[in-house]
Amino acid sequence: MGTALQLLSWALILAGAFFTLVGALGILRLPDVFTRMHAAGMTDTMGAGLILGGLCFQGDGITAVRLLLILVFLWFTCPVSTHALARAALQGGLRPLTGTAAQRDVAAQTPASRQDP
Amino acid sequence: MFAVAVAALLVAMAMAVTRALLGPTAYDRVLALNNMGTKTVVLIAALGFLSGRPDFLDLALVYALINFIGTVAVLKYIEYGDLGAAKRADGGTDA
Amino acid sequence: MIRAAGLWVVLFALWLLLSGHYQPLFLTFGVATCTLAVGVAYRMGTLDDESAPFHLAWRAVAYVPWLVWDILRCNVQVARTILSPKLRIDPAIVHFRASQRTDLGKFVYANSITLTPGTVTTGIVGDDFEVHALSKGLADGSEENEMNRRVTALEGEAS
């Protein structure tokens, strides 16, 4: 395999690792479940996408096709489960924080959402 | 170099577990667990390359399937309190 | 019937790809399994445009790269938001009007919105999409309108 392709592969994997970490940081930092969904979506789309895309260059053809299959499956199911989660949270009585109230909550480090139903 | 990806994934999974433990609502926990499942799928794929056994990809594919069904099942249970319910509690339908 | 044949071909290709065995015995098993699966889908009456959307396939070739590019762009924006020390978020519920005619088109649009980080579809009533956005800048309408236009184009004339 060419060195350029090898470099591209590593760049993709490292970028994917970066986005995965940032997504995880977002899950910890953001104030309520609705905003955390966006951070989780980041891990699901770009984190998984870039890492699996980078791994594609490391194996033979069949391996690459299988990796792409996993990726396609992840990208089909992630929005569905995110949407189900949002609907369930709304149904369960949670209301998203809006506007600058969310920022104040972050600054004061107060628990932003209700306790377990 | 695969080790870098595996290490990053493990750190990110630890962060997701922290969120699952902190809560504060059940939905935060489900979100964190679903997210951990996605990371596990990628982790299995990366581990397969790290140990030189790309057969692990089949496991990753099956794990992706199970993770999706598991998340939806847990959410349905939280929402309805019953896995067999066909209609919403308020009589509406899923639009 | 064309739809059933198409579904069978796709299923069998998947079987060949994932099994990796090409002995006559395994091929027979594969043919039998795929035929059974298509037969069950036919009997359940689920073999329609929504379960086998082959009519979207060639237009999706143009849509998917644009979607991936858009996901990349929004990811960078959300990553910047999360990494900024002061965490400048401005979560809001916004409403969009979708111009797709079929449920399948709306499904594709809603999933595209959710797949793009920073926006999550939380509800659909008729043509009205309720979207939760991480900050108002991520859902100012311009990008969603572009996506709406492209999904409607993906849906095409025939339906």
Side-chain angles (χ1 to χ4, degrees):
Chain A
M1 191 189 309
T3 317
L5 220 55
Q6 198 62 259
L7 278 178
L8 174 70
S9 164
W10 290 125
L12 286 178
I13 292 176
L14 287 181
F18 170 76
F19 275 114
T20 308
L21 282 175
V22 173
L25 184 69
I27 293 182
L28 279 180
R29 272 192 88 188
L30 290 169
D32 76 337
V33 65
F34 294 95
T35 46
R36 280 177 203 138
M37 282 188 309
H38 302 302
M42 224 170 83
T43 314
D44 293 343
T45 55
M46 230 61 257
L50 288 178
I51 291 182
L52 292 181
L55 289 177
C56 275
F57 298 107
Q58 299 289 336
D60 50 9
I62 282 278
T63 312
V65 174
R66 279 186 197 185
L67 280 167
L68 287 181
L69 204 64
I70 296 176
L71 186 60
V72 165
F73 190 78
L74 276 181
W75 280 22
F76 265 97
T77 54
C78 278
V80 178
S81 49
T82 307
H83 178 66
L85 183 73
R87 281 186 68 84
L90 283 173
Q91 186 86 1
L94 287 188
R95 286 293 166 265
L97 296 166
T98 49
T100 45
Q103 265 193 42
R104 270 204 307 281
D105 270 332
V106 175
Q109 291 294 326
T110 50
S113 13
R114 274 185 2 181
Q115 293 303 305
D116 283 84
Chain B
M1 271 294 253
F2 292 120
V4 177
V6 171
L9 281 164
L10 286 175
V11 171
M13 282 167 83
M15 287 157 106
V17 171
T18 313
R19 175 46 71 196
L21 290 175
L22 286 177
T25 67
Y27 305 107
D28 291 283
R29 298 178 212 272
V30 175
L31 174 74
L33 287 183
N34 177 37
N35 199 240
M36 245 192 82
T38 310
K39 284 169 198 159
T40 311
V41 173
V42 185
L43 182 71
I44 294 174
L47 268 182
F49 280 96
L50 186 65
S51 58
R53 292 171 62 191
D55 314 339
F56 274 37
L57 290 183
D58 295 336
L59 301 184
L61 193 61
V62 171
Y63 198 94
L65 288 159
I66 293 174
N67 181 43
F68 172 63
I69 293 172
T71 304
V72 173
V74 169
L75 282 173
K76 187 173 181 186
Y77 185 74
I78 294 176
E79 196 170 347
Y80 302 109
D82 176 14
L83 283 179
K87 282 254 163 80
R88 300 183 67 86
D90 56 11
T93 51
D94 285 314
Chain C
M1 215 54 223
I2 288 180
R3 223 174 271 133
L7 185 62
W8 192 88
V9 169
V10 170
L11 286 178
F12 194 63
L14 200 65
W15 171 281
L16 285 181
L17 191 70
L18 289 179
S19 85
H21 294 282
Y22 304 107
Q23 291 91 338
L25 178 67
F26 287 101
L27 291 181
T28 317
F29 285 160
V31 169
T33 313
C34 295
T35 311
L36 185 69
V38 173
V40 168
Y42 180 76
R43 268 180 61 89
M44 284 171 72
T46 53
L47 209 60
D48 52 14
D49 273 354
E50 286 185 20
S51 66
F54 296 119
H55 57 292
L56 298 184
W58 64 272
R59 279 189 295 262
V61 174
Y63 178 66
V64 170
W66 180 81
L67 181 65
V68 171
W69 171 247
D70 202 52
I71 287 172
L72 189 65
R73 203 173 52 77
C74 288
N75 259 296
V76 173
Q77 249 176 311
V78 174
R80 242 196 229 150
T81 311
I82 292 175
L83 286 177
S84 69
K86 289 200 71 179
L87 202 62
R88 294 194 182 284
I89 55 171
D90 182 20
I93 297 272
V94 285
H95 288 263
F96 290 120
R97 188 147 292 277
S99 63
Q100 289 80 32
R101 280 166 293 107
T102 59
D103 284 348
L104 184 64
K106 284 177 194 165
F107 169 79
V108 173
Y109 184 35
N111 268 12
S112 305
I113 290 178
T114 310
L115 203 52
T116 331
T119 44
V120 169
T121 316
T122 52
I124 304 172
V125 180
D127 285 339
D128 190 45
F129 279 46
E130 191 185 81
V131 175
H132 181 268
L134 184 57
S135 66
K136 283 197 188 101
L138 281 166
D140 53 2
S142 58
E143 171 216 335
E144 267 66 23
N145 286 339
E146 171 78 2
M147 189 182 276
N148 185 18
R149 195 181 61 68
R150 282 175 187 267
V151 176
T152 309
L154 171 76
E155 200 180 22
E157 298 302 318
S159 58

